[in-house]
Each structure stands twice: as structure tokens, then as C-alpha cells.
Amino acid sequence: MSNDADGGARQVAMVGCDEAQTRAWGQRLRLMGCTPVSFDCSADFLHAATHGTTHFDLLLVVLKDEGTWPLLTSMCQALRVPIFLVANALQRELLAEVLSAAEPESKGPGIDFAVLPVDDFEVELRVREAL
């Protein structure tokens, strides 16, 4: 995990991003006044969110084929953290599974998604909407 945390900035957890995404999206988030906090995997994020003192305002996650999605979405709903999912077109079934597990009728924060390729401008729009 690399933590760029500044004082009062909005904290955006970034999970599963490759180096280029971390660099480009992280820079865009900093320009928006947010503090990106990068995690290698969802387990690292879950540990930080439940055992750390940092409150995350958004989870930006690149969808991987992991078994932690039910726990991740449930925990984000309980902590009232919106999720912005990024998936590739070949992951439609997994994306549908994740979105259906999110209980759309719940009153908690939502899940937004985009399909790769996603440019920096779209990331910024989605993040602004979620925050």
C-alpha cells in the first residue's frame, strides 16, 4: 500500500489499478483535491478500512476475478463508501454478479461502473458524481 494522505482531503482508495492507472488517475484525483491511497488488492483495502483510522470517501476499483466481492460490497455499504468499478468488456458476467450482489434497493451508497478503456476525463466525472 502506498499512502499519499494529506490532512483534510477526500480519501479515494484505489484497488487493483496497474501502474499507469495509479499514476494517471492518482494525478487526476490530486488535481481534484482528493488524496489517492493505492492498495495492491482488496484484502489490503479491507484491512485498512476496518482496522485503520482513515475514512475513505470512495473506492475506485479495477475489477479482478476475486472471491472477496460480496464482502467488499457489503463492507462498503455498511461504511457508507460508494464504489466506482472499472471492468473490461470480457468481464460482463462478473460485473453483473457484482452489481446484483450490491442490493440496489438499499439506501446506502451506490455502485457506479465503467468499461475499459476509460479516459482520465471520465474517471474525473464519475468520481465527482460519487463524491
Side-chain angles (χ1 to χ4, degrees):
M1 170 180 88
S2 65
N3 187 341
D4 304 327
D6 299 323
R10 304 220 75 191
Q11 304 287 321
V12 177
M14 297 174 63
V15 176
C17 300
D18 63 27
E19 286 184 39
Q21 291 164 337
T22 300
R23 190 172 40 259
W25 297 347
Q27 180 179 0
R28 195 70 170 216
L29 290 168
R30 282 188 286 280
L31 289 172
M32 294 170 56
C34 298
T35 301
V37 183
S38 181
F39 297 92
D40 293 328
C41 66
S42 57
D44 292 343
F45 165 73
L46 287 169
H47 181 75
T50 57
H51 293 93
T53 57
T54 302
H55 167 75
F56 295 101
D57 298 291
L58 177 68
L59 171 60
L60 188 162
V61 60
V62 175
L63 188 59
K64 307 280 186 186
D65 189 2
E66 298 182 29
T68 58
W69 286 107
L71 177 61
L72 187 64
T73 54
S74 296
M75 199 249 344
C76 284
Q77 285 181 331
L79 294 174
R80 305 194 60 73
V81 176
I83 300 172
F84 173 35
L85 281 178
V86 179
N88 70 50
L90 299 175
Q91 294 174 303
R92 289 178 198 267
E93 287 180 29
L94 183 57
L95 180 59
E97 182 181 312
V98 170
L99 293 173
S100 68
E103 300 176 33
E105 67 277 354
S106 80
K107 302 258 190 238
I111 296 180
D112 191 9
F113 71 95
V115 177
L116 290 169
V118 180
D119 64 33
D120 296 349
F121 181 71
E122 183 173 1
V123 169
E124 180 176 344
L125 288 176
R126 304 282 183 126
V127 168
R128 285 189 189 281
E129 180 70 25
L131 294 175

